[in-house]
Structures are given as C-alpha cells and as structure tokens.
Amino acid sequence: MKQQAQLELEDVKRIAAAAEAHARQQGWAVSIAIVDAGGHLLWLQRLDGAAPISAQIAPAKAHTAALGRRESKSYEDMINQGRVSFLSAPGLQGLLEGGVPILVDGQCVGAIGVSGVKSSEDVEIGRAGIAAL
C-alpha cells in the first residue's frame, strides 16, 4: 500500500502567507485558494481590492489543478488549440491558467489557485506560495 503526505493546517497557512506576501510586494489584489488532493477547499482569502469574481475563480483553478495533477494552464492550452469538446469534462470549471499543483515527493497533495491579475502573474503568486513549503 502506498503512503502519501497530506497538507496540514500549518502547511496551508505557510503557503497562503508566502503567496499573500508575494502578491502584496507586487501590489496585486488577488484571491488565493488552496485545496487538498481531492480538490476540497482548505483556504480562501480575497485581498482588499480584488474583484469579487476572483473568489470564485481561484478555488476553481485550484480544484482543476489538484484533480488533474497538473497546472490548469494545460487545459486552457488544450481548448485554445481546438479541443473545445474538453469543455464538457465533468467536474472541471477552472480551465484557466493560475492553478498549480502542490507536489511532495512526486505526489500531488493539493493545489493553489490564484485569480485577480494576469494569468502568468497568478501562477507566479501560486509558485511563490508553494516555495514556502
């Protein structure tokens, strides 16, 4: 039987704090969501000035990255390259760049999703959070 690491609350807080610090350093108003390996929401915060819709988009991006075990951008690219039928994939709503899986020893233990600035900047914030782990 395979054993797998799991995110604990202290891990989530550390990731969230680092992501928030990076966003604030850049002056970016975003929402930050962290989910477990099953895509279940563990953390959600919307920084002052972030658009309300970002608080719905960030968890969707994180959910997609966790379930797919890959960056949500891969799905956006797939659709943009003409595979629009993938829009009907069940359970995936955040098919936009900005969701990044959290990998520990090669295993996906969760994901972070960020929304509120350019997609590449969302990813930058997410990666800064994961780096704190």
Side-chain angles (χ1 to χ4, degrees):
M1 183 175 286
K2 187 181 257 187
Q3 294 185 7
Q4 182 173 333
Q6 292 183 356
L7 289 174
E8 294 185 334
L9 182 58
E10 287 306 312
D11 302 321
V12 172
K13 287 179 178 179
R14 190 173 359 175
I15 293 167
E20 177 183 351
H22 187 79
R24 288 188 187 281
Q25 273 182 332
Q26 305 302 322
W28 294 334
V30 298
S31 288
I32 301 164
I34 301 171
V35 300
D36 65 14
H40 303 98
L41 189 62
L42 300 173
W43 186 272
L44 176 62
Q45 70 185 96
R46 181 167 59 109
L47 302 183
D48 293 342
I53 190 69
S54 68
Q56 293 187 15
I57 295 172
K61 289 178 177 183
H63 183 263
T64 295
L67 292 183
R69 313 249 187 278
R70 65 179 82 179
E71 290 198 20
S72 57
K73 182 183 187 321
S74 65
Y75 299 108
E76 180 178 10
D77 290 345
M78 187 185 315
I79 292 162
N80 287 341
Q81 292 168 7
R83 191 168 179 208
V84 294
S85 62
F86 201 79
L87 290 169
S88 67
L92 299 180
Q93 298 174 354
L95 303 174
L96 304 165
E97 182 177 11
V100 183
I102 301 169
L103 303 175
V104 174
D105 297 327
Q107 298 292 317
C108 181
V109 297
I112 184 169
V114 180
S115 179
V117 288
K118 292 180 194 171
S119 293
S120 59
E121 295 167 346
D122 290 340
V123 171
E124 183 181 321
I125 294 166
R127 289 183 180 154
I130 294 169
L133 192 60

